[in-house]
Amino acid sequence: MKKSRNSKVSLKWKIGRLLIGFCALVLIVVFVFQIVLLEPMYEANKVNQIRSVADSVEEALTTSNIGNFINSMQNQSDTCIMAYTSSDSTEGETEIGQKGCILYSLSDQQRDVYVAAANKSKNGTYLAKVSFEPVSVSGHNTIQEDTFDAIIYTKVINNNGSGAVIMVSGTITPINATTSTLKWQLLYIAIFMVAAVLILILILYKQIAKPLTAITAAARQLPMGKYEVNPNTNQYEEAQELNNTLSEAAKDIKKADKAKRDLISNVSHDLRTPLTMISGYGEMMMDLPEEKTDENIQVIVDESKRLNSLVNDLLDLSRLQDNRIVLHPEVFDISELIIDQLKKYEVYRLKEGYTIESCIQGEAMVKADPKRMEQVFNNFMTNAVNYGGAAKHIIVREKIENGSVKIEIQDFGEGIAKEDLKNVWERYYKVDKEHVRVSNGSGIGLAIVKEVLELHHAEYGVASELGKGSTFWFELPIVLTQPGNTSENISNKN
């Protein structure tokens, strides 16, 4: 099921959704870490600190100043440390530590419970979380006035029958007040971030979405070949590139639209002319029986052939451009093909006074579709006849060099300006921008030549100079060549 147009989201709301989603994600992460995980992370950090203190005390047990070390460690880590040596019980134990902290409020039985639990464990340690009621430590100045929680870590060290016990305790500070404060801070942060996101959405809409909306509005005129560049939308390189692309697209659409109109006009003109001739001569012979002469019938036949040639050329060009033409390549002598095709143009020498020279170097074997190569050569020749001007002189050259054969067809007509050379391969392109009915051919011969040669991956081109004529050429790689030197001048044949 296709989505309706109204279901699509505009860029400004898409940006807004992304930013709001990102803001919500940040707030969730902050809430999880600052509220939900604050207490367990605090306790885990406290446990790691206590374990580290116990390990440090174990390393210092053998030193002579262990008492001073423990006192210093208690002050630095804010913990309570008790260490003593004992064989089986706490009787006769030697205590090391700063008496007066919570570990010294424990009874012997309580300490024995922790030590026994540590002895039963695999690594000789035991960790307990204990709640202490208000208590006064007898014989010491420390009095606990409030209920509090503490972590007691007991580590038993056994070494060749003698042993030591290290107990480290750390008070867990209540964080309820801290959590409550963080909740209020998180609320204020959320309000601030939402306001910041809204402001950012407005800024992004003005800087990004709005220019794109303007470009989109202007781009709706593209089907008509119109696109006006708004300099206010060119604040960014991407917007400038998009504007340039749409401008080029508008030019191409105008060009394509003009080409379409020209094609319709030119094809209509070329179709109308032979149809008019055929219709006119046919009606004349119907009305005037004496006009049924061979000459008039020949006019109808010629115009029918011309009409058929135009339709075939249009179909060929359409199939070529749609890649629906299949080549049938074979190895053949292109020199022989050119000599054979030149015989068709003898009529121009006899009837219209053309001089057609040919210089064929010798046998040149190529691999191509011979029917399509005939089409290429004849279209070049037709172009030379149609635009050769009053000189009526055409030269056909064959050049064999560097493993390739190059065929040139030169005329001595008006020539083509340099700026127009790139356009001569387009359908119905005329240098004077006006359609002129050619004496032979359909007017799209060079466009067909281009498609056929590119299908063969052949090189081709044109060299021209105003007032001196043009030379069209194409080049194919030689498969097999046997050098020779054959040349003839059709104009000199009698």
Side-chain angles (χ1 to χ4, degrees), residues 434-474:
E434 294 182 1
H435 179 72
V436 179
R437 185 176 71 87
V438 295
S439 59
N440 189 20
S442 62
I444 56 175
L446 293 181
I448 292 176
V449 165
K450 172 178 178 269
E451 298 294 336
V452 171
L453 291 176
E454 288 185 352
L455 202 58
H456 281 82
H457 305 289
E459 299 290 333
Y460 66 95
V462 57
S464 185
E465 187 176 347
L466 287 175
K468 295 185 179 180
S470 306
T471 300
F472 288 84
W473 60 270
F474 67 95

Short mmCIF file of all heavy atoms in Angstrom, two decimals, residues 434-474:
data_model
loop_
_atom_site.label_atom_id
_atom_site.label_comp_id
_atom_site.label_asym_id
_atom_site.label_seq_id
_atom_site.Cartn_x
_atom_site.Cartn_y
_atom_site.Cartn_z
N GLU A 434 17.86 26.47 -39.47
CA GLU A 434 16.62 26.34 -40.23
C GLU A 434 16.64 25.03 -40.98
O GLU A 434 17.67 24.59 -41.48
CB GLU A 434 16.45 27.49 -41.23
CG GLU A 434 16.26 28.85 -40.55
CD GLU A 434 16.05 29.93 -41.56
OE1 GLU A 434 16.04 29.62 -42.78
OE2 GLU A 434 15.91 31.09 -41.16
N HIS A 435 15.48 24.38 -41.03
CA HIS A 435 15.39 23.11 -41.73
C HIS A 435 15.37 23.35 -43.23
O HIS A 435 14.58 24.15 -43.73
CB HIS A 435 14.12 22.37 -41.30
CG HIS A 435 13.97 21.06 -42.01
ND1 HIS A 435 14.75 19.97 -41.75
CD2 HIS A 435 13.10 20.69 -42.98
CE1 HIS A 435 14.37 18.96 -42.51
NE2 HIS A 435 13.37 19.38 -43.27
N VAL A 436 16.25 22.65 -43.93
CA VAL A 436 16.29 22.74 -45.38
C VAL A 436 16.10 21.35 -45.93
O VAL A 436 16.80 20.42 -45.52
CB VAL A 436 17.65 23.32 -45.85
CG1 VAL A 436 17.69 23.39 -47.35
CG2 VAL A 436 17.88 24.69 -45.24
N ARG A 437 15.19 21.17 -46.84
CA ARG A 437 14.97 19.85 -47.39
C ARG A 437 16.17 19.45 -48.20
O ARG A 437 16.59 20.14 -49.13
CB ARG A 437 13.71 19.83 -48.28
CG ARG A 437 13.39 18.42 -48.79
CD ARG A 437 12.10 18.42 -49.57
NE ARG A 437 12.25 19.08 -50.87
CZ ARG A 437 12.66 18.44 -51.98
NH1 ARG A 437 12.98 17.17 -51.91
NH2 ARG A 437 12.76 19.09 -53.10
N VAL A 438 16.76 18.34 -47.86
CA VAL A 438 17.94 17.86 -48.56
C VAL A 438 17.50 17.20 -49.85
O VAL A 438 16.39 16.71 -50.00
CB VAL A 438 18.73 16.88 -47.67
CG1 VAL A 438 19.27 17.59 -46.46
CG2 VAL A 438 17.88 15.69 -47.26
N SER A 439 18.45 17.14 -50.79
CA SER A 439 18.12 16.54 -52.07
C SER A 439 18.03 15.03 -51.97
O SER A 439 17.41 14.39 -52.80
CB SER A 439 19.20 16.93 -53.09
OG SER A 439 20.47 16.48 -52.64
N ASN A 440 18.65 14.46 -50.96
CA ASN A 440 18.59 13.01 -50.77
C ASN A 440 18.81 12.72 -49.30
O ASN A 440 19.49 13.44 -48.61
CB ASN A 440 19.66 12.33 -51.62
CG ASN A 440 19.51 10.81 -51.63
OD1 ASN A 440 18.42 10.30 -51.33
ND2 ASN A 440 20.57 10.11 -51.97
N GLY A 441 18.23 11.64 -48.78
CA GLY A 441 18.40 11.28 -47.39
C GLY A 441 17.31 11.85 -46.51
O GLY A 441 16.45 12.60 -46.96
N SER A 442 17.40 11.49 -45.23
CA SER A 442 16.32 11.83 -44.30
C SER A 442 16.64 13.02 -43.41
O SER A 442 15.76 13.52 -42.72
CB SER A 442 16.04 10.62 -43.40
OG SER A 442 17.20 10.31 -42.64
N GLY A 443 17.88 13.46 -43.38
CA GLY A 443 18.23 14.56 -42.48
C GLY A 443 18.70 14.12 -41.11
O GLY A 443 19.03 14.94 -40.27
N ILE A 444 18.72 12.81 -40.87
CA ILE A 444 19.20 12.31 -39.58
C ILE A 444 20.36 11.32 -39.79
O ILE A 444 20.66 10.51 -38.93
CB ILE A 444 18.07 11.62 -38.79
CG1 ILE A 444 17.43 10.51 -39.60
CG2 ILE A 444 17.03 12.63 -38.35
CD1 ILE A 444 16.39 9.72 -38.83
N GLY A 445 20.99 11.43 -40.94
CA GLY A 445 22.06 10.48 -41.27
C GLY A 445 23.22 10.50 -40.31
O GLY A 445 23.73 9.44 -39.91
N LEU A 446 23.68 11.70 -39.90
CA LEU A 446 24.83 11.78 -39.01
C LEU A 446 24.50 11.25 -37.62
O LEU A 446 25.37 10.69 -36.94
CB LEU A 446 25.33 13.22 -38.93
CG LEU A 446 25.93 13.79 -40.22
CD1 LEU A 446 26.41 15.21 -40.00
CD2 LEU A 446 27.07 12.92 -40.72
N ALA A 447 23.25 11.42 -37.19
CA ALA A 447 22.84 10.85 -35.90
C ALA A 447 22.90 9.33 -35.95
O ALA A 447 23.32 8.67 -34.98
CB ALA A 447 21.44 11.33 -35.53
N ILE A 448 22.49 8.74 -37.08
CA ILE A 448 22.58 7.29 -37.24
C ILE A 448 24.03 6.85 -37.27
O ILE A 448 24.41 5.84 -36.66
CB ILE A 448 21.83 6.85 -38.52
CG1 ILE A 448 20.33 7.09 -38.35
CG2 ILE A 448 22.11 5.39 -38.84
CD1 ILE A 448 19.51 6.78 -39.58
N VAL A 449 24.87 7.60 -37.99
CA VAL A 449 26.31 7.29 -38.06
C VAL A 449 26.91 7.24 -36.65
O VAL A 449 27.66 6.31 -36.30
CB VAL A 449 27.04 8.33 -38.92
CG1 VAL A 449 28.55 8.25 -38.70
CG2 VAL A 449 26.72 8.11 -40.39
N LYS A 450 26.60 8.23 -35.85
CA LYS A 450 27.13 8.29 -34.48
C LYS A 450 26.74 7.04 -33.68
O LYS A 450 27.59 6.42 -33.03
CB LYS A 450 26.59 9.55 -33.79
CG LYS A 450 26.90 9.65 -32.30
CD LYS A 450 26.36 10.96 -31.76
CE LYS A 450 26.60 11.09 -30.26
NZ LYS A 450 25.55 10.58 -29.44
N GLU A 451 25.47 6.67 -33.73
CA GLU A 451 25.01 5.51 -32.96
C GLU A 451 25.66 4.22 -33.45
O GLU A 451 26.08 3.38 -32.65
CB GLU A 451 23.48 5.41 -33.05
CG GLU A 451 22.73 6.59 -32.46
CD GLU A 451 22.91 6.72 -30.97
OE1 GLU A 451 23.21 5.71 -30.31
OE2 GLU A 451 22.76 7.84 -30.44
N VAL A 452 25.77 4.05 -34.77
CA VAL A 452 26.36 2.82 -35.33
C VAL A 452 27.84 2.72 -34.96
O VAL A 452 28.32 1.65 -34.53
CB VAL A 452 26.17 2.78 -36.86
CG1 VAL A 452 26.98 1.63 -37.47
CG2 VAL A 452 24.70 2.63 -37.21
N LEU A 453 28.58 3.81 -35.12
CA LEU A 453 30.02 3.77 -34.83
C LEU A 453 30.28 3.57 -33.34
O LEU A 453 31.21 2.86 -32.96
CB LEU A 453 30.68 5.05 -35.33
CG LEU A 453 30.74 5.20 -36.86
CD1 LEU A 453 31.34 6.54 -37.24
CD2 LEU A 453 31.56 4.07 -37.48
N GLU A 454 29.48 4.18 -32.49
CA GLU A 454 29.66 3.97 -31.06
C GLU A 454 29.30 2.54 -30.67
O GLU A 454 29.90 1.97 -29.75
CB GLU A 454 28.83 4.98 -30.27
CG GLU A 454 29.37 6.39 -30.34
CD GLU A 454 28.62 7.38 -29.46
OE1 GLU A 454 27.57 6.98 -28.91
OE2 GLU A 454 29.07 8.54 -29.35
N LEU A 455 28.34 1.95 -31.38
CA LEU A 455 28.01 0.55 -31.14
C LEU A 455 29.18 -0.35 -31.52
O LEU A 455 29.38 -1.41 -30.92
CB LEU A 455 26.75 0.18 -31.94
CG LEU A 455 25.94 -1.02 -31.45
CD1 LEU A 455 25.48 -0.82 -30.01
CD2 LEU A 455 24.74 -1.25 -32.35
N HIS A 456 29.97 0.06 -32.50
CA HIS A 456 31.16 -0.68 -32.92
C HIS A 456 32.40 -0.29 -32.10
O HIS A 456 33.48 -0.84 -32.33
CB HIS A 456 31.46 -0.43 -34.40
CG HIS A 456 30.62 -1.22 -35.34
ND1 HIS A 456 29.35 -0.84 -35.70
CD2 HIS A 456 30.86 -2.39 -35.99
CE1 HIS A 456 28.84 -1.72 -36.56
NE2 HIS A 456 29.73 -2.68 -36.74
N HIS A 457 32.26 0.67 -31.18
CA HIS A 457 33.40 1.21 -30.41
C HIS A 457 34.48 1.77 -31.35
O HIS A 457 35.68 1.63 -31.10
CB HIS A 457 34.00 0.13 -29.50
CG HIS A 457 33.02 -0.50 -28.59
ND1 HIS A 457 32.47 0.16 -27.52
CD2 HIS A 457 32.45 -1.74 -28.60
CE1 HIS A 457 31.62 -0.64 -26.89
NE2 HIS A 457 31.58 -1.80 -27.53
N ALA A 458 34.04 2.39 -32.44
CA ALA A 458 34.96 2.95 -33.43
C ALA A 458 35.21 4.42 -33.14
O ALA A 458 34.38 5.11 -32.54
CB ALA A 458 34.38 2.78 -34.82
N GLU A 459 36.36 4.90 -33.61
CA GLU A 459 36.66 6.33 -33.51
C GLU A 459 36.02 7.05 -34.69
O GLU A 459 35.92 6.51 -35.80
CB GLU A 459 38.18 6.55 -33.55
CG GLU A 459 38.94 5.90 -32.40
CD GLU A 459 38.67 6.58 -31.07
OE1 GLU A 459 38.36 7.80 -31.10
OE2 GLU A 459 38.78 5.92 -30.03
N TYR A 460 35.58 8.29 -34.47
CA TYR A 460 34.98 9.07 -35.55
C TYR A 460 35.09 10.55 -35.21
O TYR A 460 35.35 10.92 -34.06
CB TYR A 460 33.51 8.68 -35.78
CG TYR A 460 32.59 9.01 -34.63
CD1 TYR A 460 31.87 10.20 -34.61
CD2 TYR A 460 32.45 8.14 -33.56
CE1 TYR A 460 31.02 10.52 -33.54
CE2 TYR A 460 31.61 8.44 -32.49
CZ TYR A 460 30.90 9.61 -32.50
OH TYR A 460 30.08 9.92 -31.44
N GLY A 461 34.87 11.39 -36.21
CA GLY A 461 34.95 12.83 -35.95
C GLY A 461 34.76 13.64 -37.22
O GLY A 461 34.47 13.11 -38.30
N VAL A 462 34.95 14.95 -37.09
CA VAL A 462 34.81 15.87 -38.21
C VAL A 462 35.79 17.02 -38.03
O VAL A 462 36.01 17.49 -36.91
CB VAL A 462 33.36 16.40 -38.32
CG1 VAL A 462 32.93 17.07 -37.03
CG2 VAL A 462 33.21 17.37 -39.50
N ALA A 463 36.41 17.42 -39.13
CA ALA A 463 37.26 18.61 -39.15
C ALA A 463 36.69 19.55 -40.20
O ALA A 463 36.36 19.12 -41.31
CB ALA A 463 38.70 18.23 -39.48
N SER A 464 36.53 20.82 -39.83
CA SER A 464 35.89 21.75 -40.76
C SER A 464 36.40 23.15 -40.55
O SER A 464 36.86 23.51 -39.46
CB SER A 464 34.37 21.71 -40.57
OG SER A 464 33.73 22.52 -41.53
N GLU A 465 36.31 23.92 -41.62
CA GLU A 465 36.69 25.34 -41.56
C GLU A 465 35.72 26.10 -42.45
O GLU A 465 35.43 25.68 -43.58
CB GLU A 465 38.13 25.52 -42.04
CG GLU A 465 38.65 26.93 -41.86
CD GLU A 465 40.12 27.06 -42.25
OE1 GLU A 465 40.77 26.01 -42.42
OE2 GLU A 465 40.59 28.20 -42.39
N LEU A 466 35.21 27.21 -41.94
CA LEU A 466 34.24 27.98 -42.69
C LEU A 466 34.81 28.42 -44.04
O LEU A 466 35.94 28.93 -44.12
CB LEU A 466 33.80 29.22 -41.89
CG LEU A 466 32.87 28.96 -40.70
CD1 LEU A 466 32.62 30.24 -39.93
CD2 LEU A 466 31.55 28.35 -41.16
N GLY A 467 34.03 28.18 -45.10
CA GLY A 467 34.44 28.57 -46.44
C GLY A 467 35.33 27.57 -47.14
O GLY A 467 35.62 27.72 -48.34
N LYS A 468 35.79 26.52 -46.42
CA LYS A 468 36.71 25.55 -47.03
C LYS A 468 36.18 24.12 -47.00
O LYS A 468 36.87 23.21 -47.46
CB LYS A 468 38.07 25.60 -46.33
CG LYS A 468 38.78 26.93 -46.51
CD LYS A 468 40.17 26.90 -45.89
CE LYS A 468 40.89 28.24 -46.11
NZ LYS A 468 42.26 28.23 -45.53
N GLY A 469 35.01 23.91 -46.45
CA GLY A 469 34.44 22.57 -46.47
C GLY A 469 34.70 21.78 -45.20
O GLY A 469 35.24 22.30 -44.22
N SER A 470 34.28 20.50 -45.22
CA SER A 470 34.37 19.64 -44.04
C SER A 470 34.91 18.27 -44.43
O SER A 470 34.75 17.82 -45.58
CB SER A 470 32.99 19.47 -43.39
OG SER A 470 32.40 20.72 -43.10
N THR A 471 35.54 17.62 -43.45
CA THR A 471 36.03 16.25 -43.64
C THR A 471 35.50 15.40 -42.50
O THR A 471 35.87 15.59 -41.34
CB THR A 471 37.57 16.20 -43.66
OG1 THR A 471 38.06 17.01 -44.72
CG2 THR A 471 38.05 14.76 -43.84
N PHE A 472 34.62 14.45 -42.83
CA PHE A 472 34.10 13.49 -41.86
C PHE A 472 34.91 12.20 -41.98
O PHE A 472 35.28 11.79 -43.09
CB PHE A 472 32.62 13.22 -42.11
CG PHE A 472 31.72 14.36 -41.73
CD1 PHE A 472 31.50 15.41 -42.60
CD2 PHE A 472 31.11 14.38 -40.49
CE1 PHE A 472 30.68 16.47 -42.25
CE2 PHE A 472 30.27 15.43 -40.12
CZ PHE A 472 30.06 16.49 -41.01
N TRP A 473 35.14 11.56 -40.83
CA TRP A 473 35.98 10.34 -40.86
C TRP A 473 35.56 9.34 -39.79
O TRP A 473 34.91 9.70 -38.81
CB TRP A 473 37.46 10.69 -40.67
CG TRP A 473 37.76 11.39 -39.36
CD1 TRP A 473 37.74 12.73 -39.14
CD2 TRP A 473 38.07 10.77 -38.12
NE1 TRP A 473 38.04 13.00 -37.83
CE2 TRP A 473 38.26 11.81 -37.17
CE3 TRP A 473 38.24 9.46 -37.71
CZ2 TRP A 473 38.58 11.57 -35.84
CZ3 TRP A 473 38.57 9.20 -36.38
CH2 TRP A 473 38.73 10.25 -35.46
N PHE A 474 35.95 8.10 -40.02
CA PHE A 474 35.81 7.07 -38.99
C PHE A 474 36.99 6.10 -39.13
O PHE A 474 37.63 6.02 -40.19
CB PHE A 474 34.47 6.33 -39.10
CG PHE A 474 34.30 5.50 -40.33
CD1 PHE A 474 34.60 4.13 -40.31
CD2 PHE A 474 33.82 6.06 -41.51
CE1 PHE A 474 34.43 3.35 -41.46
CE2 PHE A 474 33.65 5.28 -42.64
CZ PHE A 474 33.95 3.93 -42.62
#
